[in-house]
Amino acid sequence: MYKLDARGRVCPLPLFYTKKKIDELKTGEELEVLTNDVTAKNTIPQWSREHGHEIVKVEESGDDFKVIIRKH
């Protein structure tokens, strides 16, 4: 699984970095995105679904959010 730490950045940057990293992955590979931007918690899963990727998990821990995406 690939990891992207976008904590400390505000939207649209976490989404931009997520898209860029997803483009580098092969179908079936997973990306774990860490963010502490509340907007990104919603926009990253929404963007992923709109582009046909699977949201494996969304977790919240304190101020941090973890989104795991499987590329399709």
Side-chain angles (χ1 to χ4, degrees):
M1 178 182 314
Y2 295 88
K3 296 186 181 196
L4 172 65
D5 188 347
R7 291 177 289 187
R9 295 187 168 89
V10 295
C11 262
L13 289 177
L15 180 59
F16 172 78
Y17 294 133
T18 298
K19 180 192 178 309
K20 186 175 178 180
K21 188 65 180 175
I22 284 283
D23 287 345
E24 297 172 6
L25 301 182
K26 296 177 185 167
T27 300
E29 292 184 320
E30 293 182 352
L31 175 63
E32 176 184 283
V33 181
L34 298 173
T35 183
N36 55 1
D37 181 67
V38 176
T39 303
K41 174 188 168 193
N42 298 314
T43 57
I44 290 173
Q46 179 183 357
W47 174 88
S48 298
R49 284 189 211 93
E50 288 174 0
H51 288 86
H53 306 300
E54 177 185 351
I55 301 302
V56 176
K57 184 187 288 188
V58 177
E59 289 183 351
E60 188 171 342
S61 176
D63 291 336
D64 293 341
F65 305 100
K66 181 191 316 183
V67 182
I68 300 177
I69 307 162
R70 182 175 296 128
K71 182 175 180 172
H72 284 287

